[in-house]
């Protein structure tokens, strides 16, 4: 393996896996830890506190106490803004360290953890900081003898449970609106990617966030995650993860205190290319780049490529020609486009789906194999299937790996029907120069975000979330404030 400056830095980076509760780094209450290895090459990164019920109890109590005392919740918005702005600045100032932790922890290329993950997390925190002293409450149009105020109040303690595919960004999408509105937070990062969440909490403290306001309890989902989601002292859960676990979040709420549950779940997004779209090169590049970005481990990856049959052969050939440019490489090499899958389990899952595609009769056009096994890491080639039917497993289930399925369609009605024939509804994309068709199809698609003639645009200014079993609630934009605030009506009588 050729050495890069990032390898030298990686040798010196320190991994502190202790929880962060009440402003202090602490071991798990029973002293237990779990081992964390890097998906890049299997190297041991360190021991991480194995948070459980007892740790969640302490963290929720710390968060509740901070909230009730008002050390953050009753700060004026402008004061919260200043602290969160400093937090965002500290994230940016720690860019290399955070990016390295993220890459070593979950396997994405360093070029993207430096250019996408760290800046996006910082921008998210800064954006909510900027927003919080610019949102106003309402006064209802009542008669002269009354005044009815409609105000938003922080909810209290927010439990944030997040996945490993964009650990920092997913945490920031919860932290930004939850903290800006004055809540306290207990964050449970994925057991597969705990390190950046813990470091973020240290940076928040350095920025002036009072102790107890932002706590991190690492651990397994069925232990720390379940304890948090069942806790009667938690007012809302902001969850991002699989639909399977999202379902459990609703059960936990039903079994405990009916806490609000905001689920951001999986996807099987359709990317529809009509034969009137002229720049097939651009469409093919966008499909491949969006699919293989982050090793295909993106909830909004356009994993179902619906192509009109008149151009399908030509289009598949273009995507096939692009696939080798996403060949997995060393994530610490700045030229690498695609890195390692998060762990052995994910590798097995992806290879299992590839085998099932072949067994069900799809045509493997390119890829399909594990590579770089000698590194000790988990890498799979960019994989393209043609001749996929929408009832095959590779078209119905979220693979969360670099596997793109081409489904051919005859006409617009069939394209819409196929796209909507999914339990998911996160994103979709329509490619057409026909303005009526573009609008018609965009309206007909049952998805939280529809792209027209592109797939890359994304910004903190717009909501992100799904229809159907892709979730409820929306991360990002001012709409996210609705999730972490209660709406209060206050009636006042005015004697005239
Ligand atoms: P996951 O559901 O396995 O785990 C997510 C989090 O939940 C982790 O922190 C995990 O420890 C915890 N968890 C697991 N079981 C739990 C339980 N029984 N009780 C409480 N917590 C539990 O998902 P993952 O594999 O980490 O992430 C991949 C999934 O996330 C994909 O389905 C992807 O589509 C989805 N995702 C969605 C979005 C979105 O915004 N819609 C964004 C990113 C990822």
């Amino acid at each position: 393996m050729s050495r890069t400056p990032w390898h030298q830095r990686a040798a010196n980076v320190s991994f502190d896996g202790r929880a962060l509760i009440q402003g202090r780094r602490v071991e798990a209450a029973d002293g237990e830890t779990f081992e964390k290895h890097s998906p890049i090459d299997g190297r041991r990164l360190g021991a991480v506190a194995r948070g459980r019920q007892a740790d969640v109890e302490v963290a929720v109590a710390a968060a509740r106490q901070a909230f009730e005392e008002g050390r953050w919740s009753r700060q004026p918005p402008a004061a919260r803004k200043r602290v969160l702005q400093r937090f965002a600045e500290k994230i940016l100032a720690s860019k290399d360290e955070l990016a390295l932790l993220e890459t070593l922890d979950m396997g994405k290329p360093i070029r993207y953890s430096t250019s996408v993950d760290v800046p996006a997390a910082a921008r998210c925190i800064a954006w909510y900081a900027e927003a919080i002293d610019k949102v106003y409450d309402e006064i209802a149009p009542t008669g002269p003898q009354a005044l009815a105020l409609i105000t938003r109040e922080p909810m209290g303690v927010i439990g944030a449970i997040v996945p490993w595919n964009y650990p920092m960004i997913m945490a920031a999408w919860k932290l930004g609106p939850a903290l800006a509105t004055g809540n306290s937070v207990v964050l449970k990062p994925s057991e597969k990617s705990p390190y950046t969440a813990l470091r973020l909490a240290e940076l928040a403290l350095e920025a002036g966030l009072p102790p107890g306001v932002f706590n991190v309890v690492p651990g397994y989902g069925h232990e720390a995650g379940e304890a948090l989601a069942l806790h009667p002292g938690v007012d809302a859960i902001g969850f991002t993860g699989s639909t399977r676990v999202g379902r459990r979040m609703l059960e936990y709420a039903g079994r405990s205190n009916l806490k609000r549950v905001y689920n951001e779940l999986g996807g099987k997004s359709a990317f529809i290319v009509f034969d009137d779209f002229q720049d097939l090169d651009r469409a093919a590049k966008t499909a491949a780049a969006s699919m293989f970005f982050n090793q295909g481990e993106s909830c909004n990856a356009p994993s179902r490529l619906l192509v009109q049959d008149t151009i399908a052969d030509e289009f598949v050939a273009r995507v096939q020609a692009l696939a080798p440019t996403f060949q997995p490489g060393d994530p610490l090499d700045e030229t690498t486009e695609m890195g390692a899958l998060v762990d052995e389990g994910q590798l097995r899952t992806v290879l299992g789906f590839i085998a099932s595609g072949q067994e069900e009769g799809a045509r493997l056009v390119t890829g399909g194999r594990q590579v770089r096994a000698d590194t000790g890491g988990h890498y799979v080639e960019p994989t393209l299937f043609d001749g996929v039917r929408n009832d095959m497993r590779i078209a119905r289930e979220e693979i969360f790996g670099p596997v793109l399925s081409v489904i051919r369609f005859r006409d617009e009605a069939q394209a819409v029907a196929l796209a909507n024939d999914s339990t998911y509804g996160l994103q979709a994309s329509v490619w057409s120069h026909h303005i009526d068709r573009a609008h018609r199809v965009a309206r007909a698609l049952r998805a939280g975000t529809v792209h027209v003639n592109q797939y890359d645009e994304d910004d903190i200014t717009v909501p992100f979330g799904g229809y159907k079993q892709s979730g409820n609630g929306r991360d990002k934009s001012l709409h996210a404030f609705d999730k972490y605030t209660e709406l209060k009506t206050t009636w006042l009588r005015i004697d005239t």
Side-chain angles (χ1 to χ4, degrees), residues 209-239:
L209 195 71
V213 173
F214 171 19
N215 309 276
V216 183
V217 181
Y220 292 111
H222 65 283
E223 296 179 346
E226 181 169 307
L228 187 60
L230 274 172
H231 201 293
V234 172
D235 298 286
I237 286 283
F239 175 74

mmCIF file of all heavy atoms in Angstrom, residues 209-239:
data_model
loop_
_atom_site.group_PDB
_atom_site.id
_atom_site.type_symbol
_atom_site.label_atom_id
_atom_site.label_comp_id
_atom_site.label_asym_id
_atom_site.label_seq_id
_atom_site.Cartn_x
_atom_site.Cartn_y
_atom_site.Cartn_z
ATOM 1 N N LEU A 209 -20.976 25.554 25.286
ATOM 2 C CA LEU A 209 -22.258 24.909 25.577
ATOM 3 C C LEU A 209 -22.184 24.384 27.019
ATOM 4 O O LEU A 209 -21.245 23.662 27.367
ATOM 5 C CB LEU A 209 -22.497 23.750 24.595
ATOM 6 C CG LEU A 209 -23.918 23.223 24.544
ATOM 7 C CD1 LEU A 209 -24.848 24.232 23.868
ATOM 8 C CD2 LEU A 209 -23.977 21.904 23.768
ATOM 9 N N PRO A 210 -23.150 24.734 27.876
ATOM 10 C CA PRO A 210 -23.052 24.322 29.282
ATOM 11 C C PRO A 210 -23.058 22.800 29.431
ATOM 12 O O PRO A 210 -23.731 22.101 28.660
ATOM 13 C CB PRO A 210 -24.301 24.937 29.926
ATOM 14 C CG PRO A 210 -24.756 25.999 28.991
ATOM 15 C CD PRO A 210 -24.347 25.570 27.624
ATOM 16 N N PRO A 211 -22.336 22.280 30.433
ATOM 17 C CA PRO A 211 -22.317 20.828 30.667
ATOM 18 C C PRO A 211 -23.726 20.289 30.856
ATOM 19 O O PRO A 211 -24.588 20.962 31.423
ATOM 20 C CB PRO A 211 -21.524 20.687 31.973
ATOM 21 C CG PRO A 211 -20.729 21.939 32.085
ATOM 22 C CD PRO A 211 -21.489 23.012 31.377
ATOM 23 N N GLY A 212 -23.961 19.081 30.359
ATOM 24 C CA GLY A 212 -25.270 18.444 30.526
ATOM 25 C C GLY A 212 -26.225 18.716 29.380
ATOM 26 O O GLY A 212 -27.222 18.016 29.225
ATOM 27 N N VAL A 213 -25.922 19.724 28.571
ATOM 28 C CA VAL A 213 -26.848 20.076 27.484
ATOM 29 C C VAL A 213 -26.699 19.104 26.313
ATOM 30 O O VAL A 213 -27.666 18.775 25.638
ATOM 31 C CB VAL A 213 -26.624 21.536 27.032
ATOM 32 C CG1 VAL A 213 -27.457 21.863 25.803
ATOM 33 C CG2 VAL A 213 -26.941 22.491 28.161
ATOM 34 N N PHE A 214 -25.491 18.650 26.079
ATOM 35 C CA PHE A 214 -25.257 17.734 24.960
ATOM 36 C C PHE A 214 -24.407 16.571 25.485
ATOM 37 O O PHE A 214 -23.231 16.748 25.802
ATOM 38 C CB PHE A 214 -24.557 18.505 23.830
ATOM 39 C CG PHE A 214 -24.049 17.672 22.685
ATOM 40 C CD1 PHE A 214 -24.517 16.387 22.426
ATOM 41 C CD2 PHE A 214 -23.087 18.196 21.822
ATOM 42 C CE1 PHE A 214 -24.029 15.638 21.364
ATOM 43 C CE2 PHE A 214 -22.594 17.465 20.749
ATOM 44 C CZ PHE A 214 -23.063 16.178 20.536
ATOM 45 N N ASN A 215 -25.038 15.418 25.601
ATOM 46 C CA ASN A 215 -24.374 14.226 26.145
ATOM 47 C C ASN A 215 -24.316 13.154 25.056
ATOM 48 O O ASN A 215 -25.223 13.072 24.226
ATOM 49 C CB ASN A 215 -25.176 13.679 27.316
ATOM 50 C CG ASN A 215 -25.501 14.767 28.323
ATOM 51 O OD1 ASN A 215 -24.693 15.089 29.188
ATOM 52 N ND2 ASN A 215 -26.671 15.377 28.199
ATOM 53 N N VAL A 216 -23.268 12.346 25.091
ATOM 54 C CA VAL A 216 -23.147 11.267 24.111
ATOM 55 C C VAL A 216 -22.938 9.941 24.846
ATOM 56 O O VAL A 216 -22.007 9.816 25.649
ATOM 57 C CB VAL A 216 -21.965 11.497 23.139
ATOM 58 C CG1 VAL A 216 -21.918 10.388 22.090
ATOM 59 C CG2 VAL A 216 -22.077 12.851 22.470
ATOM 60 N N VAL A 217 -23.816 8.993 24.569
ATOM 61 C CA VAL A 217 -23.686 7.647 25.157
ATOM 62 C C VAL A 217 -23.478 6.664 24.017
ATOM 63 O O VAL A 217 -24.424 6.318 23.304
ATOM 64 C CB VAL A 217 -24.952 7.252 25.955
ATOM 65 C CG1 VAL A 217 -24.772 5.860 26.561
ATOM 66 C CG2 VAL A 217 -25.255 8.273 27.034
ATOM 67 N N PRO A 218 -22.227 6.214 23.820
ATOM 68 C CA PRO A 218 -22.023 5.208 22.766
ATOM 69 C C PRO A 218 -22.509 3.850 23.246
ATOM 70 O O PRO A 218 -22.662 3.634 24.447
ATOM 71 C CB PRO A 218 -20.499 5.213 22.573
ATOM 72 C CG PRO A 218 -19.933 5.727 23.852
ATOM 73 C CD PRO A 218 -20.992 6.571 24.521
ATOM 74 N N GLY A 219 -22.752 2.955 22.317
ATOM 75 C CA GLY A 219 -23.193 1.614 22.710
ATOM 76 C C GLY A 219 -24.010 0.992 21.602
ATOM 77 O O GLY A 219 -24.203 1.590 20.540
ATOM 78 N N TYR A 220 -24.481 -0.226 21.888
ATOM 79 C CA TYR A 220 -25.263 -0.957 20.891
ATOM 80 C C TYR A 220 -26.713 -0.477 20.868
ATOM 81 O O TYR A 220 -27.230 0.022 21.862
ATOM 82 C CB TYR A 220 -25.228 -2.456 21.199
ATOM 83 C CG TYR A 220 -23.867 -3.068 21.003
ATOM 84 C CD1 TYR A 220 -23.121 -3.504 22.088
ATOM 85 C CD2 TYR A 220 -23.332 -3.197 19.727
ATOM 86 C CE1 TYR A 220 -21.861 -4.067 21.909
ATOM 87 C CE2 TYR A 220 -22.076 -3.760 19.532
ATOM 88 C CZ TYR A 220 -21.341 -4.191 20.625
ATOM 89 O OH TYR A 220 -20.106 -4.741 20.444
ATOM 90 N N GLY A 221 -27.349 -0.709 19.721
ATOM 91 C CA GLY A 221 -28.737 -0.295 19.558
ATOM 92 C C GLY A 221 -29.670 -0.965 20.562
ATOM 93 O O GLY A 221 -30.506 -0.311 21.186
ATOM 94 N N HIS A 222 -29.506 -2.295 20.737
ATOM 95 C CA HIS A 222 -30.444 -3.004 21.616
ATOM 96 C C HIS A 222 -30.162 -2.738 23.080
ATOM 97 O O HIS A 222 -30.931 -3.177 23.939
ATOM 98 C CB HIS A 222 -30.408 -4.507 21.316
ATOM 99 C CG HIS A 222 -29.088 -5.149 21.632
ATOM 100 N ND1 HIS A 222 -27.984 -5.015 20.828
ATOM 101 C CD2 HIS A 222 -28.700 -5.895 22.694
ATOM 102 C CE1 HIS A 222 -26.971 -5.674 21.364
ATOM 103 N NE2 HIS A 222 -27.374 -6.202 22.499
ATOM 104 N N GLU A 223 -29.082 -2.033 23.366
ATOM 105 C CA GLU A 223 -28.781 -1.693 24.770
ATOM 106 C C GLU A 223 -28.981 -0.185 24.981
ATOM 107 O O GLU A 223 -30.041 0.250 25.405
ATOM 108 C CB GLU A 223 -27.360 -2.148 25.119
ATOM 109 C CG GLU A 223 -27.243 -3.672 25.046
ATOM 110 C CD GLU A 223 -25.874 -4.237 25.346
ATOM 111 O OE1 GLU A 223 -24.870 -3.463 25.375
ATOM 112 O OE2 GLU A 223 -25.784 -5.449 25.545
ATOM 113 N N ALA A 224 -27.960 0.615 24.624
ATOM 114 C CA ALA A 224 -28.082 2.071 24.840
ATOM 115 C C ALA A 224 -29.245 2.664 24.046
ATOM 116 O O ALA A 224 -30.002 3.506 24.550
ATOM 117 C CB ALA A 224 -26.771 2.755 24.458
ATOM 118 N N GLY A 225 -29.399 2.222 22.779
ATOM 119 C CA GLY A 225 -30.444 2.796 21.924
ATOM 120 C C GLY A 225 -31.828 2.508 22.473
ATOM 121 O O GLY A 225 -32.670 3.392 22.603
ATOM 122 N N GLU A 226 -32.041 1.232 22.843
ATOM 123 C CA GLU A 226 -33.357 0.857 23.361
ATOM 124 C C GLU A 226 -33.649 1.572 24.682
ATOM 125 O O GLU A 226 -34.764 2.064 24.908
ATOM 126 C CB GLU A 226 -33.417 -0.661 23.538
ATOM 127 C CG GLU A 226 -34.746 -1.132 24.054
ATOM 128 C CD GLU A 226 -34.915 -2.649 23.993
ATOM 129 O OE1 GLU A 226 -34.712 -3.232 22.918
ATOM 130 O OE2 GLU A 226 -35.261 -3.241 25.030
ATOM 131 N N ALA A 227 -32.643 1.655 25.539
ATOM 132 C CA ALA A 227 -32.851 2.324 26.836
ATOM 133 C C ALA A 227 -33.231 3.784 26.626
ATOM 134 O O ALA A 227 -34.099 4.321 27.323
ATOM 135 C CB ALA A 227 -31.582 2.209 27.683
ATOM 136 N N LEU A 228 -32.606 4.415 25.665
ATOM 137 C CA LEU A 228 -32.907 5.834 25.402
ATOM 138 C C LEU A 228 -34.319 5.990 24.832
ATOM 139 O O LEU A 228 -35.091 6.856 25.250
ATOM 140 C CB LEU A 228 -31.858 6.394 24.429
ATOM 141 C CG LEU A 228 -31.885 7.884 24.147
ATOM 142 C CD1 LEU A 228 -31.690 8.705 25.420
ATOM 143 C CD2 LEU A 228 -30.782 8.257 23.131
ATOM 144 N N ALA A 229 -34.660 5.130 23.876
ATOM 145 C CA ALA A 229 -35.955 5.265 23.209
ATOM 146 C C ALA A 229 -37.119 4.893 24.125
ATOM 147 O O ALA A 229 -38.244 5.324 23.908
ATOM 148 C CB ALA A 229 -35.976 4.400 21.948
ATOM 149 N N LEU A 230 -36.838 4.074 25.155
ATOM 150 C CA LEU A 230 -37.887 3.688 26.105
ATOM 151 C C LEU A 230 -37.956 4.639 27.304
ATOM 152 O O LEU A 230 -38.872 4.552 28.110
ATOM 153 C CB LEU A 230 -37.605 2.271 26.641
ATOM 154 C CG LEU A 230 -38.112 1.100 25.818
ATOM 155 C CD1 LEU A 230 -37.568 -0.222 26.392
ATOM 156 C CD2 LEU A 230 -39.629 1.055 25.792
ATOM 157 N N HIS A 231 -36.980 5.522 27.435
ATOM 158 C CA HIS A 231 -36.863 6.304 28.672
ATOM 159 C C HIS A 231 -38.039 7.280 28.825
ATOM 160 O O HIS A 231 -38.309 8.077 27.932
ATOM 161 C CB HIS A 231 -35.541 7.073 28.667
ATOM 162 C CG HIS A 231 -35.119 7.475 30.039
ATOM 163 N ND1 HIS A 231 -35.818 8.391 30.777
ATOM 164 C CD2 HIS A 231 -34.090 7.070 30.826
ATOM 165 C CE1 HIS A 231 -35.232 8.537 31.952
ATOM 166 N NE2 HIS A 231 -34.183 7.739 32.003
ATOM 167 N N PRO A 232 -38.693 7.239 29.991
ATOM 168 C CA PRO A 232 -39.838 8.139 30.176
ATOM 169 C C PRO A 232 -39.435 9.606 30.305
ATOM 170 O O PRO A 232 -40.285 10.489 30.165
ATOM 171 C CB PRO A 232 -40.469 7.635 31.489
ATOM 172 C CG PRO A 232 -39.392 6.868 32.178
ATOM 173 C CD PRO A 232 -38.498 6.317 31.120
ATOM 174 N N GLY A 233 -38.159 9.865 30.551
ATOM 175 C CA GLY A 233 -37.703 11.244 30.685
ATOM 176 C C GLY A 233 -37.263 11.859 29.360
ATOM 177 O O GLY A 233 -36.761 12.981 29.327
ATOM 178 N N VAL A 234 -37.413 11.130 28.275
ATOM 179 C CA VAL A 234 -37.056 11.657 26.950
ATOM 180 C C VAL A 234 -38.342 12.120 26.266
ATOM 181 O O VAL A 234 -39.320 11.379 26.207
ATOM 182 C CB VAL A 234 -36.332 10.578 26.111
ATOM 183 C CG1 VAL A 234 -36.134 11.039 24.674
ATOM 184 C CG2 VAL A 234 -34.997 10.221 26.747
ATOM 185 N N ASP A 235 -38.343 13.365 25.794
ATOM 186 C CA ASP A 235 -39.581 13.934 25.237
ATOM 187 C C ASP A 235 -39.762 13.636 23.760
ATOM 188 O O ASP A 235 -40.883 13.631 23.260
ATOM 189 C CB ASP A 235 -39.576 15.450 25.459
ATOM 190 C CG ASP A 235 -39.547 15.768 26.947
ATOM 191 O OD1 ASP A 235 -40.575 15.595 27.604
ATOM 192 O OD2 ASP A 235 -38.465 16.140 27.454
ATOM 193 N N ALA A 236 -38.665 13.461 23.042
ATOM 194 C CA ALA A 236 -38.776 13.154 21.613
ATOM 195 C C ALA A 236 -37.542 12.380 21.174
ATOM 196 O O ALA A 236 -36.454 12.549 21.741
ATOM 197 C CB ALA A 236 -38.894 14.439 20.785
ATOM 198 N N ILE A 237 -37.744 11.536 20.183
ATOM 199 C CA ILE A 237 -36.615 10.811 19.588
ATOM 200 C C ILE A 237 -36.467 11.279 18.142
ATOM 201 O O ILE A 237 -37.427 11.228 17.362
ATOM 202 C CB ILE A 237 -36.874 9.281 19.597
ATOM 203 C CG1 ILE A 237 -36.737 8.701 21.004
ATOM 204 C CG2 ILE A 237 -35.925 8.565 18.640
ATOM 205 C CD1 ILE A 237 -35.317 8.497 21.507
ATOM 206 N N GLY A 238 -35.279 11.755 17.826
ATOM 207 C CA GLY A 238 -34.934 12.022 16.433
ATOM 208 C C GLY A 238 -34.129 10.825 15.963
ATOM 209 O O GLY A 238 -32.981 10.651 16.382
ATOM 210 N N PHE A 239 -34.739 9.986 15.142
ATOM 211 C CA PHE A 239 -34.066 8.748 14.729
ATOM 212 C C PHE A 239 -33.741 8.783 13.254
ATOM 213 O O PHE A 239 -34.603 9.120 12.425
ATOM 214 C CB PHE A 239 -34.972 7.539 15.015
ATOM 215 C CG PHE A 239 -34.400 6.239 14.494
ATOM 216 C CD1 PHE A 239 -33.334 5.625 15.141
ATOM 217 C CD2 PHE A 239 -34.907 5.642 13.344
ATOM 218 C CE1 PHE A 239 -32.792 4.433 14.655
ATOM 219 C CE2 PHE A 239 -34.370 4.456 12.852
ATOM 220 C CZ PHE A 239 -33.312 3.847 13.511
#
